[in-house]
Amino acid sequence: MTTTVIVMAALSLAGCSVDPASSVYDGEQTDADRIPDFVMSDGNAENYDLDSSRFLGTAKGREFYAVRSVEMGHCIATVVAEPVDWHIVCSPSGEMRFSGSGVQGRYFPGGYPEDSAEDGWISVHPSLRIQE
């Protein structure tokens, strides 16, 4: 089992600004929005506001969740159920590029403009893109 928590500094993404009232966290959390228990079973749950977690989608055999951290800002959890593997990457500004569990991604909680897609990237959610 691999468990890794990575905190990254924000990386500027051209033309983006963080919307603190991001639509990623709008609405009520559902059972599907909850990060799997095995991710938070290593005693790191106190670092995150688990009531804020939201399921963003599935791509390349991985599930992606947004979650807030009081100390680290906006975070993305990349989860693979079999074999168990997960990574959490955080940024105080919310804007970030990340890699973990075999994927590279970009996250912007305020959402990317629809016409800003780049070749070689998959839109998993309006706020999340991963590299093909």
Side-chain angles (χ1 to χ4, degrees), residues 35-70:
I35 296 174
D37 290 339
F38 67 83
V39 174
M40 295 298 164
S41 65
D42 290 342
N44 64 347
E46 67 271 1
N47 296 321
Y48 305 97
D49 174 7
L50 298 181
D51 292 332
S52 73
S53 67
R54 297 295 187 267
F55 177 70
L56 299 179
T58 302
K60 298 181 83 171
R62 286 126 178 96
E63 295 178 344
F64 299 91
Y65 298 84
V67 64
R68 290 181 179 156
S69 167
V70 174

Side-chain angles (χ1 to χ4, degrees), residues 14-95:
C16 297
S17 62
V18 174
D19 176 4
S22 171
S23 62
V24 169
Y25 303 106
D26 286 350
E28 293 293 319
Q29 182 187 53
T30 67
D31 287 341
D33 289 325
R34 296 188 190 285
I35 296 174
D37 290 339
F38 67 83
V39 174
M40 295 298 164
S41 65
D42 290 342
N44 64 347
E46 67 271 1
N47 296 321
Y48 305 97
D49 174 7
L50 298 181
D51 292 332
S52 73
S53 67
R54 297 295 187 267
F55 177 70
L56 299 179
T58 302
K60 298 181 83 171
R62 286 126 178 96
E63 295 178 344
F64 299 91
Y65 298 84
V67 64
R68 290 181 179 156
S69 167
V70 174
E71 294 181 10
M72 299 177 287
H74 294 271
C75 306
I76 290 292
T78 303
V79 180
V80 180
E82 290 295 328
V84 173
D85 184 26
W86 60 270
H87 290 79
I88 297 179
V89 182
C90 300
S91 169
S93 74
E95 298 178 76

Side-chain angles (χ1 to χ4, degrees), residues 23-24 56 106-114 116 122-129:
S23 62
V24 169
L56 299 179
R106 295 179 180 167
Y107 175 67
F108 177 58
Y112 291 100
E114 286 185 37
S116 68
I122 300 167
S123 180
V124 177
H125 181 275
S127 296
L128 177 67
R129 293 188 176 149

